[in-house]
């Protein structure tokens, strides 16, 4: 694999959208953002978008992405933030690299936008870990869903439907304000995550050396790093996510999937 410095971002300002166009041809395993300047933290990145052929395949905030990375055991450093399309701790090499963005065929553009808010004389560079050329195939996506819940109780949270069949669900992170107490997941009406309280979920994740993050309930069917356990939706009739709340809350769910570009 190669580690290369990317072309410079344009419009790196205190408040604005910095952007960069990345060359196509190689396979992108991860992109590392390097933050610098007078005052520029990950919390000041209010949106990151990675686009393939103009379609957004990754969207997140800097702070939330950092929590997700720390959950997975990736390195935490104040001035760096990784957008990782691989699973470095997967049990097989095939599972490790499935999902990276192959750009040798089928990709005409790969771009990234970073929205900065409230920084002081920021600088922003990026580096890419590259693998050998390959044609576009299944890629790792991060897709956001945000919903407000008006009070205590158990409510449905729509994330995926039959129109999205074919996607493979690796994990879902529910970023909340402190009131998400438990989660139930059903596939085709069958419970596969049985209204598990947050404390129990945190303990179980820790058993597999995952680090649960504050106000981030992570549903992870692949917590043992065996990605054959990911939820396949090709045979899906329905898929339900039903969180339980102790009080009103607003939740952003980050759905991590393996998927073809044109699907969800």
């Amino acid at each position: 694999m190669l580690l290369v410095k990317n072309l410079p971002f344009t419009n790196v300002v205190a408040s604005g959208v910095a952007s960069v166009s990345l060359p196509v041809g190689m396979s992108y395993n991860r992109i590392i953002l390097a933050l610098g300047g007078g005052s520029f933290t990950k919390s000041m990145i209010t949106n990151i978008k990675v686009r393939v052929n103009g379609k957004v395949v990754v969207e997140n905030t800097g702070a939330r992405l950092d929590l997700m990375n720390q959950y997975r055991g990736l390195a935490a450093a104040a001035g760096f933030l990784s957008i990782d399309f691989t699973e470095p701790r997967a049990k097989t090499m095939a599972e490790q690299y499935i999902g990276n963005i192959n750009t040798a065929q089928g990709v005409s553009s790969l771009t990234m936008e970073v929205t900065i808010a409230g920084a002081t004389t920021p600088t922003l560079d990026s580096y890419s870990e590259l693998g050998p050329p390959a044609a576009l195939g299944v890629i790792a996506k991060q897709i956001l869903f945000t919903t407000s819940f008006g009070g205590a109780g158990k409510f449905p949270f729509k994330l995926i439907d039959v129109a999205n069949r074919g996607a493979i669900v690796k994990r879902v992170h529910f970023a909340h304000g402190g009131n998400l107490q438990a989660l139930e997941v059903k596939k085709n009406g069958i419970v596969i995550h049985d209204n598990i309280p947050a404390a129990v979920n945190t303990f179980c994740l820790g058993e597999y050396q995952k680090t649960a993050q504050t106000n981030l309930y992570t549903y992870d069917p692949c917590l043992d790093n065996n990605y054959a356990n990911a939820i396949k939706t090709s045979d899906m009739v329905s898929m339900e996510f039903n969180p339980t709340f102790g009080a009103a809350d607003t939740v952003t769910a980050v759905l991590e999937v393996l998927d073809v570009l044109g699907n969800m």
Side-chain angles (χ1 to χ4, degrees), residues 3 33 60:
L3 186 63
L33 300 180
N60 221 326

Side-chain angles (χ1 to χ4, degrees), residues 3 6 9 18-20 22 27-35 42 45 47-52 56-70 72 74-75 77 79-88 96-97 99-101 110-115 124-130 139-143 170-171 254 256:
L3 186 63
N6 296 322
F9 278 89
S19 62
V20 64
L22 303 174
S27 297
Y28 285 78
N29 296 333
R30 63 176 50 79
I31 301 169
I32 301 169
L33 300 180
L35 287 62
K42 285 174 272 195
I45 297 177
N47 202 4
I48 300 168
K49 289 182 179 178
V50 177
R51 299 178 188 267
V52 177
V56 176
V57 297
V58 170
E59 184 173 8
N60 221 326
T61 67
R64 188 166 54 231
L65 179 58
D66 190 45
L67 292 179
M68 291 166 50
N69 287 346
Q70 291 185 55
R72 296 170 59 204
L74 301 185
F80 297 94
L81 180 63
S82 288
I83 306 163
D84 188 3
F85 307 108
T86 70
E87 295 294 341
Q96 180 177 347
Y97 290 105
N100 64 353
I101 300 180
L110 176 61
T111 61
M112 180 166 50
E113 300 168 2
V114 177
T115 302
L124 182 62
D125 292 306
S126 68
Y127 301 81
S128 292
E129 180 189 295
L130 302 175
I139 60 177
K141 298 180 181 179
Q142 295 180 17
I143 304 170
K170 293 197 296 183
R171 61 183 71 89
V254 185
E256 289 195 67

Side-chain angles (χ1 to χ4, degrees), residues 136-157:
L136 179 67
V138 172
I139 60 177
K141 298 180 181 179
Q142 295 180 17
I143 304 170
L144 303 185
F145 299 84
T146 300
T147 299
S148 294
F149 299 90
K154 183 177 178 181
F155 303 98
F157 192 171

Side-chain angles (χ1 to χ4, degrees), residues 29 207 263:
N29 296 333
E207 292 278 88
N263 199 18

